[in-house]
Amino acid sequence: MANYNPGPANTTGAAVVPTPLLKDELDIVIPTIRNLDFLEMWRPFLQPYHLIIVQDGDPSKTIKVPPGFDYELYNRNDINKILGPRASCISFKDSACRCFGYMVSKKKYIFTIDDDCFVANDPTGKPINALEQHIKNLLCPSTPFFFNTLYEPYREGADFVRGYPFSLREGVPTAVSHGLWLNIPDYDAPTQLVKPLERNTRYVDAILTIPKGTLFPMCGMNLAFDRDLIGPAMYFGLMGDGQPIGRYDDMWAGWCCKVITDHLGLGIKTGLPYIYHSKASNPFVNLRKEYKGIFWQEDIIPFFQNVVLPKECTTVQKCYIELSKQVKEKLSKVDPYFDKLADAMVTWIEAWDDLNPQKPAAK
């Protein structure tokens, strides 16, 4: 481990181009304010797939994409035109705008990545195909109802340990695959300020299902999910311009998704794959964005820990609307922002259903 260089990997002239999995069933969503030169490093892995680029900030700015990629690009003018008055639910000047890409996609699976995330090396020096690992995670069952001490029991060389109930070994569908990062850790501003030089060089070769009833801080920079199973709950909230909080967008979505997947009997995995996070954001800017959230989360987390969804909530949309009612009822007393957020959650579902009409049930 002492000589391990976590990346970024050199993928130039890669001899072996992997066969793309789910090529026609997966979209890659990227929020950005800059030219996407970083895609050159990802070309061996991502070029076969369709990209949905959500341009944040000034819509008059031209975003350049390397040649050879199949993509569609949406800026704020496009969002306003497509959603009309409901565009108010999509954050502005914040990476939370990426969830618009989830809404307009027509594919079953989504992989989302930030533009400062590069290909990492595994401990053998081999470039990590993060997307391939996410797909494997999503196509493999999860085990949220009983913890396996060998972590992922379906991996080669592992299995269910003695004492694991046979009735639970089939597992449940995996809705979310949450990947991790080498180099710059995903720290909050206070931790960044205390540990400005800390870098993550620990590559842990593990995947585990997050147990039922356990929340987690979801990071959106290296994330994949089954859009059919959990897409309507992947709303990254109201953040950025005009809002009193930032940098809680992915965590909000993660808390919502977790209580809904628990209720619907679905699973969330975390661990592999790793990407190389190249750039630390400014901790003082981050502190200004996070300041209220640091206090609010002491109420938000107990709220999610105690959420109970009624049995009538049989779809993600029904669960999310019910969750919005409980947010309005119980979190609005923390700050009026949550009243506004609860309304935006409803608007998000209305917009989602407009762009993704439900197929009529077969007779």
Side-chain angles (χ1 to χ4, degrees):
M1 287 293 290
N3 297 321
Y4 170 43
N5 175 16
N10 180 7
T11 58
T12 304
V16 179
V17 177
T19 301
L21 300 173
L22 303 179
K23 176 180 177 295
D24 299 320
E25 299 179 67
L26 183 143
D27 279 335
I28 298 167
V29 174
I30 305 170
T32 192
I33 58 171
R34 59 182 62 87
N35 295 334
L36 296 183
D37 300 330
F38 90 112
L39 284 173
E40 287 293 353
M41 174 174 279
W42 285 99
R43 188 181 292 275
F45 307 127
L46 304 189
Q47 187 171 356
Y49 296 88
H50 180 67
L51 311 182
I52 299 177
I53 301 164
V54 184
Q55 178 181 343
D56 194 19
D58 183 2
S60 67
K61 181 178 179 181
T62 299
I63 297 293
K64 295 181 180 179
V65 181
F69 284 91
D70 171 41
Y71 70 93
E72 53 190 307
L73 188 151
Y74 297 92
N75 61 32
R76 192 70 202 187
N77 293 338
D78 300 316
I79 293 172
N80 292 340
K81 181 178 180 180
I82 291 169
L83 297 186
R86 290 177 177 151
S88 61
C89 73
I90 304 298
S91 298
F92 183 57
K93 293 187 178 179
D94 192 279
S95 65
C97 67
R98 79 177 76 217
C99 62
F100 177 77
Y102 310 159
M103 182 186 289
V104 296
S105 171
K106 301 303 177 187
K107 305 290 179 60
K108 178 173 171 56
Y109 300 100
I110 294 288
F111 171 49
T112 186
I113 189 171
D114 284 1
D115 60 14
D116 61 351
C117 294
F118 298 158
V119 178
N121 287 316
D122 69 15
T124 71
K126 180 182 177 182
I128 298 168
N129 186 345
L131 177 54
E132 181 180 58
Q133 182 63 60
H134 275 302
I135 291 171
K136 290 178 179 178
N137 291 350
L138 290 172
L139 296 181
C140 182
S142 290
T143 54
F145 304 121
F146 204 89
F147 189 79
N148 192 57
T149 50
L150 281 179
Y151 303 119
E152 175 66 277
Y154 306 106
R155 292 185 73 186
E156 185 177 353
D159 210 323
F160 293 95
V161 298
R162 180 170 55 90
Y164 200 101
F166 283 87
S167 60
L168 296 178
R169 294 189 181 193
E170 184 177 344
V172 301
T174 300
V176 180
S177 172
H178 178 255
L180 300 176
W181 353 264
L182 295 166
N183 195 41
I184 305 294
D186 186 33
Y187 285 160
D188 53 39
T191 309
Q192 281 184 293
L193 289 166
V194 173
K195 299 180 175 182
L197 302 180
E198 185 159 290
R199 299 295 181 265
N200 181 33
T201 59
R202 294 180 63 237
Y203 180 98
V204 181
D205 186 13
I207 305 163
L208 62 152
T209 298
I210 302 173
K212 181 179 181 181
T214 301
L215 297 173
F216 76 112
M218 190 173 82
C219 173
M221 76 172 83
N222 175 25
L223 182 71
F225 59 93
D226 186 321
R227 190 172 172 278
D228 289 352
L229 289 181
I230 199 63
M234 274 289 177
Y235 176 47
F236 278 42
L238 287 177
M239 303 281 153
D241 194 50
Q243 308 303 332
I245 184 175
R247 286 173 56 82
Y248 274 81
D249 51 335
D250 42 9
M251 289 185 287
W252 178 264
W255 295 327
C256 292
C257 284
K258 190 58 171 64
V259 299
I260 291 174
T261 54
D262 283 355
H263 175 75
L264 295 177
L266 303 170
I268 295 178
K269 293 187 180 189
T270 189
L272 301 181
Y274 283 91
I275 50 85
Y276 183 89
H277 186 206
S278 66
K279 185 174 62 179
S281 49
N282 187 308
F284 296 101
V285 173
N286 291 346
L287 185 60
R288 186 171 68 246
K289 293 178 179 179
E290 296 173 4
Y291 179 76
K292 289 192 175 183
I294 290 170
F295 292 97
W296 290 349
Q297 69 186 18
E298 301 307 318
D299 292 295
I300 297 171
I301 292 172
F303 163 76
F304 280 107
Q305 287 173 327
N306 292 286
V307 162
V308 176
L309 298 174
K311 62 181 181 180
E312 292 78 20
C313 291
T314 55
T315 67
V316 176
Q317 283 93 328
K318 289 179 180 178
C319 289
Y320 206 70
I321 292 297
E322 172 61 28
L323 197 52
S324 72
K325 294 176 182 176
Q326 296 191 30
V327 167
K328 185 179 285 283
E329 177 187 348
K330 297 179 181 179
L331 289 181
S332 291
K333 60 187 177 185
V334 175
D335 192 273
Y337 163 78
F338 290 99
D339 196 59
K340 185 178 179 182
L341 176 58
D343 290 339
M345 292 168 72
V346 175
T347 302
W348 160 264
I349 292 296
E350 291 172 348
W352 181 283
D353 286 345
D354 277 352
L355 294 181
N356 300 276
Q358 297 294 306
K359 297 178 183 177
K363 294 183 180 179

